[in-house]
């Protein structure tokens, strides 16, 4: 049986599907019996989703960069 | 972006259409920056991305589509960044830094390995609800900025760009076990930030 501390230490591997089959079974078994760790995993998933959902900072000068790159691309064909 | 849509998009790029380059920059610049940042650090990341864009324009006519556009762009970026770096990054790779709200450390557990201070219920259970609080959003951004170079890049490439761990290993030339360690440390710091905010209502 895993301890909660061990469960937390493996939580990222659990979320990424990086545990071995045996490791996965141990984790599932722990989660089945441990409410605290179930909550922890649920909140880790929420934390992942929050990082994903953060708005993207706009690229400074994206228009100028795009204009420059497009011009370089067109110039290339003339060479 | 796949199939006919990508073919069409590439044609617009090859024709030198400004709007297509704008889409390219808006879509991929932040992933490219995360790759460059991991390899050369903050001081040279922007220059490395600039180098990468020039290489992209040069190489565009030869793009064979053996990989996705995204993988191709990120590989070019990694190469551009590697051409720039002089520092010995192996040494800084696993260095850790304290985060504004800490992490989930040993002090959270009793000697027998059970939770000493268990996670408590949060007020919100969707990312949208969490991020609707401006202060929390800023707090989270602050934590992300405080992460060491590799932790930050690995987290962004995994969570925001959806790259496979394997792809991250290849781009940054670090082992799978290091990617896993870095990702875990970064996630626990994000977790600690959200938990702190849910507990105190402030950053
Ligand atoms: Zn537990």
């Amino acid at each position: 049986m895993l301890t909660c501390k061990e469960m937390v230490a493996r939580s990222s591997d659990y979320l990424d599907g990086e545990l071995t089959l045996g490791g996965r079974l141990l984790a599932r078994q722990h989660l089945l019996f441990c409410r605290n760790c179930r909550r922890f995993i649920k909140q880790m998933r929420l934390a992942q989703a929050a990082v994903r959902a953060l708005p993207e900072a706009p690229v400074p000068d994206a228009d100028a960069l795009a204009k420059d790159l497009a011009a370089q691309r067109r110039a290339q064909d003339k060479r | 972006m796949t199939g006919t849509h990508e073919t069409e998009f590439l044609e617009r790029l090859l024709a030198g259409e400004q709007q297509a380059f704008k889409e390219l920059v808006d879509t991929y610049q932040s992933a490219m920056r995360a790759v460059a940042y991991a390899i050369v650090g903050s001081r040279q990341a922007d220059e490395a991305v600039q180098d990468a864009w020039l290489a992209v324009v040069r190489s565009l006519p030869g793009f064979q589509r053996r990989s996705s556009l995204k993988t191709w762009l990120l590989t070019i970026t990694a190469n551009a960044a590697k051409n720039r770096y002089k520092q010995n990054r192996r040494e800084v790779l696993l260095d850790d830094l304290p985060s504004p709200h800490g992490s989930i450390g040993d002090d959270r557990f009793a000697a027998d390995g059970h939770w000493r201070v268990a996670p408590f219920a949060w007020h919100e259970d969707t990312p949208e609800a969490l991020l609707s609080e401006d202060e929390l959003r800023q707090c989270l951004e602050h934590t992300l900025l405080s992460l060491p170079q590799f932790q930050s890049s690995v987290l962004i490439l995994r969570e925001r760009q959806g790259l496979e761990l394997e792809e991250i290993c290849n781009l940054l030339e670090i082992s799978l076990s290091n990617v896993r360690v870095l990702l875990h440390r970064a996630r626990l710091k994000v977790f600690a930030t959200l938990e702190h905010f849910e507990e105190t209502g402030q950053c």
Side-chain angles (χ1 to χ4, degrees):
Chain A
M1 187 79 177
L2 292 179
T3 64
C4 297
K5 191 175 173 181
E6 286 165 339
M7 181 67 226
V8 169
R10 296 166 186 213
S11 55
S12 276
D13 287 343
Y14 175 76
L15 292 167
D16 288 321
E18 288 289 321
L19 291 177
T20 59
L21 180 62
R24 203 158 179 84
L25 290 175
L26 277 175
R28 288 221 182 102
Q29 185 197 35
H30 182 96
L31 291 174
L32 197 60
F33 294 107
C34 182
R35 211 172 136 252
N36 288 332
C37 286
R38 275 204 302 279
R39 175 175 280 166
F40 174 77
I41 292 290
K42 188 178 147 221
Q43 292 174 342
M44 279 287 269
R45 288 206 165 100
L46 185 52
Q48 284 183 282
V51 170
R52 202 172 302 135
L54 274 177
E56 194 75 62
V59 181
D61 305 326
D63 287 307
L65 176 60
K67 188 174 176 192
D68 189 35
L69 295 175
Q72 287 193 35
R73 169 68 204 117
R74 290 192 301 270
Q76 231 175 11
D77 279 349
K78 291 186 190 121
R79 257 176 244 147
Chain B
M1 198 189 294
T2 45
T4 49
H5 186 65
E6 191 175 280
T7 309
E8 214 176 280
F9 186 61
L10 282 168
E11 279 165 10
R12 291 169 59 210
L13 288 171
L14 283 168
E17 193 191 306
Q18 186 177 332
Q19 187 52 37
F21 276 96
K22 174 73 164 56
E23 270 177 65
L24 193 70
V25 170
D26 285 341
T27 312
Y28 298 110
Q29 168 107 341
S30 58
M32 289 168 67
R33 201 174 187 288
V35 169
Y37 180 63
I39 296 169
V40 292
S42 60
R43 278 188 302 134
Q44 291 192 79
D46 290 326
E47 284 109 319
V49 171
Q50 283 292 333
D51 295 350
W53 279 124
L54 298 182
V56 165
V57 172
R58 268 199 312 277
S59 320
L60 205 51
F63 176 47
Q64 297 290 327
R65 305 187 59 184
R66 277 194 216 95
S67 60
S68 72
L69 184 57
K70 182 176 189 168
T71 303
W72 183 70
L73 290 170
L74 296 184
T75 306
I76 288 180
T77 308
N79 290 333
K82 280 167 206 159
N83 286 337
R84 273 193 179 262
Y85 86 72
K86 297 177 192 80
Q87 76 205 52
N88 187 353
R89 70 200 188 97
R90 300 291 145 185
E91 281 169 18
V92 302
L93 176 61
L94 289 175
D95 277 0
D96 206 356
L97 293 171
S99 181
H101 301 288
S103 179
I104 304 299
D106 289 354
D107 57 341
R108 287 292 289 265
F109 301 94
D112 66 0
H114 280 94
W115 288 97
R116 194 173 62 75
V117 185
F120 56 87
W122 292 355
H123 308 292
E124 312 291 355
D125 61 2
T126 66
E128 295 76 23
L130 279 170
L131 297 178
S132 66
E133 296 229 39
D134 283 347
E135 204 185 340
L136 176 55
R137 218 187 53 238
Q138 285 161 16
C139 193
L140 197 52
E141 278 162 359
H142 181 229
T143 295
L144 295 184
L145 286 174
S146 78
L147 296 175
Q149 171 179 338
F150 273 86
Q151 279 180 37
S152 158
S153 292
V154 168
L155 187 76
I156 288 168
L157 293 173
R158 177 65 178 163
E159 312 286 46
R160 291 182 62 85
Q161 302 295 329
L163 264 54
E164 296 298 330
L165 299 187
E166 195 75 15
E167 255 183 295
I168 299 174
C169 295
N170 293 338
L171 285 169
L172 307 186
E173 291 182 358
I174 55 183
S175 68
L176 179 61
S177 62
N178 280 345
V179 168
R180 286 159 65 178
V181 168
L182 292 163
L183 191 54
H184 188 55
R185 284 183 188 162
R187 281 176 177 158
L188 291 183
K189 289 173 183 172
V190 170
F191 179 94
T193 299
L194 295 181
E195 187 181 59
H196 175 83
F197 195 91
E198 288 295 308
E199 188 176 15
T200 64
Q202 47 195 311
C203 189

